[in-house]
Amino acid sequence: MLKQFIIQFDTSLTAYIQQWPGWLRVPMLIATFIGQPLVLIAAAGTVGLLAWQRYNTGIIFAMGAGLAAMLFNTLVKHFVHRTRPDTLYVSEMWFATSSFPSGHAFGSMVILGSLGYLGAQHLAAPWNTIAPISLGLLIFIIGVSRIYLGAHFPTDVIAGWVLGACVLAIIIVLARL
């Protein structure tokens, strides 16, 4: 019964999102690029390097933990081993990885979520509000782009967001200690 519900949910939401206008393809490709693990690792590394130069161990810890969390996502993918949707986009992907959970959704939640939290803590007004909201919207768009392009099922993306939010919460709690 649960499996049937998940299939119906994935099918319905995927059909809805993939009916969005074709002109969204380029923005969705850009969003998916921003959510690439290498781009997120570069962002975390840059922030970590800047924090290291200022001897800010909390930020260094947060970015390091975010990078380590991306390895956790890879392990979950390996053990769950859900196949990706059968789409042209998936057939043209460079790396053949499992679908569940979405690494883009997970990684963007952890890394961009950490940056949003750090922005809220360290930036002056109004940027301490604008940065977290903008990064939150970007996290959402990255996840939706994966469904729009046919790389993931909606439940893959939702699971990536939820697992990423759990890891992000742990990072924030530990960074405050």
Side-chain angles (χ1 to χ4, degrees):
M1 185 164 158
L2 178 62
K3 185 177 181 179
Q4 187 59 36
F5 172 78
I6 291 170
I7 291 169
Q8 184 177 359
F9 175 81
D10 280 342
T11 303
S12 299
L13 190 53
T14 298
Y16 172 74
I17 291 172
Q18 289 181 347
Q19 288 179 6
W20 291 356
W23 62 264
L24 285 172
R25 182 165 175 77
V26 171
M28 292 295 183
L29 286 168
I30 292 168
T32 241
F33 175 78
I34 293 169
Q36 292 281 349
L38 289 177
V39 173
L40 293 174
I41 289 168
T46 301
V47 170
L49 181 62
L50 292 171
W52 178 70
Q53 290 175 340
R54 294 178 183 204
Y55 304 105
N56 190 322
T57 56
I59 295 174
I60 295 168
F61 170 78
M63 292 298 100
L67 294 174
M70 293 177 81
L71 294 174
F72 166 75
N73 185 68
T74 302
L75 289 173
V76 173
K77 279 181 173 287
H78 177 74
F79 286 110
V80 174
H81 199 64
R82 181 181 192 187
T83 57
R84 289 184 180 268
D86 186 18
T87 64
L88 177 61
Y89 183 86
V90 169
S91 70
E92 295 176 348
M93 289 174 59
W94 293 354
F95 300 106
T97 60
S98 296
S99 190
F100 186 93
S102 166
H104 281 70
F106 178 88
S108 65
M109 179 63 78
V110 172
I111 300 298
L112 300 178
S114 294
L115 293 176
Y117 170 75
L118 294 169
Q121 299 298 309
H122 297 283
L123 295 175
W127 298 108
N128 63 341
T129 302
I130 293 171
I133 290 171
S134 299
L135 289 168
L137 287 171
L138 182 56
I139 291 166
F140 177 75
I141 293 167
I142 288 168
V144 171
S145 76
R146 305 305 286 158
I147 301 164
Y148 179 88
L149 295 170
H152 282 286
F153 298 105
T155 49
D156 300 335
V157 172
I158 293 167
W161 284 333
V162 170
L163 286 172
C166 291
V167 169
L168 176 59
I170 292 167
I171 290 169
I172 289 170
V173 167
L174 292 177
R176 290 178 141 188
L177 294 179

